[in-house]
Amino acid sequence: MKKLTVVLSAVMVLALALPAAAAPAFTIGGSVEQEFRLERGENDDMRLRGYTGLDLEAALSNEDGDPIRAVIEFAPWSWNNLGEDDELVEDIANPYPGQATGLEIDKIYLEAQGALWNGGPEMTTTIGDVEIEHSPWVASLDRRGAKVENLGIGPVTVAGFYGWAERDAQGQAENPAYGLSLAGNLANVGLSTSVVRQDEATELAASAVTQIGPAIVHGTVALDENQNQAFDVNAETAVMPNLNLHLGYRGGDEEFMPRFADVDTLEDEGQASWARDADDNPAQLQRGIEVGIGTVQYGTQIVASYDQPTDAAKLELARAFALNGRGIDTKYTGTFEINNEKMTHEVEASMDPVTVAAEIEASRNQDTTYGVSATYQAPNGMEFGVGYHSVDGPSVSAGAKVEF
């Protein structure tokens, strides 16, 4: 792995080149994975292939007790990792020729803890490449600028940022972006507000959470630069012993799309969802009710839900058994995408160190596919697996992964 050696050597040289007074702390984290697979090739012949996966993140910072901390974060590296659908992700190309890899800096910033004047309020001040996560609705972005966080004013915590004018990935000039976030608890109601402004456009989001009787109620409303709105209101409550109910509604204007929204987070957390265009970009805000019910019956956890915006119904069952003094964890997930007329069944049973799983996917317009697999975690840390898929055929694997 010559290229990896070159990369690590360059990082270490940079760390050692800093003045001793700076007391730089070099931190590195990630994972290394080795895997061998016996699988079907292009001509239906079985071949043994080997994969080496690498994820690496590194940073330099001074840790000498000064109130101001200087941090250099290098762009993460990955090489030969197996991504979705087992496709190789080669951000670092074939390392064997041994060419040097450019050491790319991802972020440089100064971070100060404390007050700006004697007796003033404590806060965290960052100058340089700052990451803003005030709200996934309207304020999730990376900019070069300054930010203030954790500023307490009475019952309210304040955060703000100002991003310098810069150019985007296409070289187009972007005007400064700046914003403010407030969060606090007033009269047993948790409130938060985020406002972002760029050019002549203003976007904002406001959220509240409180308890009304036995129900926990959450609500969010957001406005984009064109005054399109979106909102999400939901409640969770125990309607009777051992029976929990979730009700919600997501709505708004179909054209709603803020500049600095974190679409992936909103969709993963079920706060919002969009229909996609041909390029898989968010195109149209989806609206409708969401309902779920959960209970435990005869030792089985049961959760059933329906999400109208995505037109999907889901049933989840989970139960733990005991066999000869050993525990077996079982789980079933059934997902029905009504609009796409697609049904997926997933079953998993785990009795440490063995896990068995099966999946069946049926669709009106496609052939039914299925797959079964079993994995074994050996005492030495290696994992062995065997499986069969109706399209890809049989597979046998062995490997190990170490995180650091």
Side-chain angles (χ1 to χ4, degrees), residues 6-18 26 60 103:
V6 172
V7 171
L8 295 178
S9 299
V11 175
M12 293 303 296
V13 168
L14 180 58
L16 295 175
L18 292 177
F26 175 63
L60 284 170
L103 191 62

Side-chain angles (χ1 to χ4, degrees), residues 135-140 198 201-204 222-231 251-267 272-277 280-286:
S135 166
W137 290 89
V138 296
S140 181
Q198 186 181 41
T202 300
E203 299 182 329
L204 63 89
L223 292 174
D224 67 12
E225 60 182 296
N226 298 313
Q227 299 302 300
N228 295 311
Q229 67 168 333
F231 59 88
D253 300 312
E254 293 182 347
E255 297 80 12
F256 174 82
M257 191 66 254
R259 297 185 182 189
F260 303 120
D262 186 347
V263 172
D264 292 338
T265 295
L266 291 172
E267 293 189 329
S273 60
W274 284 263
R276 303 282 177 149
D277 59 18
D280 199 35
N281 296 316
Q284 190 177 70
L285 184 72
Q286 297 175 316

Side-chain angles (χ1 to χ4, degrees), residues 294-309:
T295 185
V296 178
Q297 298 294 329
Y298 302 102
T300 301
Q301 296 180 354
I302 305 172
V303 178
S305 61
Y306 171 69
D307 187 71
Q308 185 182 23

Side-chain angles (χ1 to χ4, degrees), residues 16-17 47 76 104 159 162 221 227 234 254 299 303 305 314 364:
L16 295 175
R47 294 183 180 181
E104 297 183 2
Y162 186 93
V221 62
Q227 299 302 300
N234 57 80
E254 293 182 347
V303 178
S305 61
K314 181 180 289 188
R364 180 180 180 86

Side-chain angles (χ1 to χ4, degrees), residues 182-201:
L182 306 175
N185 191 303
L186 301 175
N188 295 324
V189 178
L191 300 171
S192 62
T193 302
S194 295
V195 180
V196 177
R197 185 170 176 80
Q198 186 181 41
D199 303 321
E200 298 300 321

Side-chain angles (χ1 to χ4, degrees), residues 351-373:
M351 183 174 65
D352 192 43
V354 178
T355 299
V356 180
E359 178 177 334
I360 301 176
E361 188 175 287
S363 176
R364 180 180 180 86
N365 300 320
Q366 297 179 350
D367 294 336
T368 298
T369 62
Y370 62 90
V372 293
S373 65

Side-chain angles (χ1 to χ4, degrees), residues 51-378:
Y51 301 99
T52 298
L54 167 68
D55 279 307
L56 187 64
E57 294 185 4
L60 284 170
S61 63
N62 66 316
E63 301 289 349
D64 56 0
D66 286 344
I68 297 182
R69 186 169 69 107
V71 180
I72 302 174
E73 293 184 5
F74 300 98
W77 301 290
S78 63
W79 170 60
N80 265 16
N81 296 306
L82 290 173
E84 295 183 3
D85 301 323
D86 289 341
E87 294 181 356
L88 284 176
V89 180
E90 297 186 356
D91 294 339
I92 294 180
N94 181 8
Y96 297 107
Q99 299 93 343
T101 299
L103 191 62
E104 297 183 2
I105 294 176
D106 185 35
K107 291 183 176 68
I108 299 178
Y109 58 89
L110 298 176
E111 183 180 271
Q113 300 283 349
L116 294 178
W117 62 89
N118 290 331
E122 298 287 319
M123 67 186 74
T124 303
T125 304
T126 307
I127 303 174
D129 298 312
V130 297
E131 182 178 1
I132 310 301
E133 294 182 341
H134 289 181
S135 166
W137 290 89
V138 296
S140 181
L141 66 153
D142 292 327
R143 298 287 286 199
R144 183 164 297 155
K147 70 175 181 179
V148 173
E149 299 174 298
N150 305 319
L151 173 59
I153 302 177
V156 177
T157 300
V158 181
F161 75 94
Y162 186 93
W164 324 135
E166 58 184 35
R167 296 186 179 276
D168 60 18
Q170 290 73 38
Q172 301 295 321
E174 287 190 347
N175 290 327
Y178 49 95
L180 185 69
S181 175
L182 306 175
N185 191 303
L186 301 175
N188 295 324
V189 178
L191 300 171
S192 62
T193 302
S194 295
V195 180
V196 177
R197 185 170 176 80
Q198 186 181 41
D199 303 321
E200 298 300 321
T202 300
E203 299 182 329
L204 63 89
S207 300
V209 57
T210 189
Q211 183 169 352
I212 302 176
I216 304 296
V217 181
H218 306 254
T220 299
V221 62
L223 292 174
D224 67 12
E225 60 182 296
N226 298 313
Q227 299 302 300
N228 295 311
Q229 67 168 333
F231 59 88
D232 172 38
V233 180
N234 57 80
E236 300 174 3
T237 185
V239 293
M240 62 179 64
N242 196 28
L243 184 63
N244 297 320
L245 179 64
H246 172 89
L247 293 173
Y249 184 81
R250 306 201 301 269
D253 300 312
E254 293 182 347
E255 297 80 12
F256 174 82
M257 191 66 254
R259 297 185 182 189
F260 303 120
D262 186 347
V263 172
D264 292 338
T265 295
L266 291 172
E267 293 189 329
D268 289 344
E269 296 180 353
Q271 298 184 65
S273 60
W274 284 263
R276 303 282 177 149
D277 59 18
D279 298 323
D280 199 35
N281 296 316
Q284 190 177 70
L285 184 72
Q286 297 175 316
R287 301 169 293 186
I289 63 170
E290 51 187 278
V291 59
I293 189 169
T295 185
V296 178
Q297 298 294 329
Y298 302 102
T300 301
Q301 296 180 354
I302 305 172
V303 178
S305 61
Y306 171 69
D307 187 71
Q308 185 182 23
T310 57
D311 203 18
K314 181 180 289 188
L315 174 64
E316 298 174 273
L317 307 175
R319 182 168 182 175
F321 297 89
L323 179 64
N324 295 329
R326 303 186 64 182
I328 303 178
D329 295 323
T330 61
K331 183 178 181 180
Y332 164 80
T333 302
T335 305
F336 182 28
E337 300 176 24
I338 300 173
N339 188 47
N340 297 327
E341 298 184 336
K342 178 180 176 181
M343 187 72 186
T344 303
H345 303 274
E346 298 172 273
V347 179
E348 181 179 298
S350 176
M351 183 174 65
D352 192 43
V354 178
T355 299
V356 180
E359 178 177 334
I360 301 176
E361 188 175 287
S363 176
R364 180 180 180 86
N365 300 320
Q366 297 179 350
D367 294 336
T368 298
T369 62
Y370 62 90
V372 293
S373 65
T375 58
Y376 166 71
Q377 188 77 38

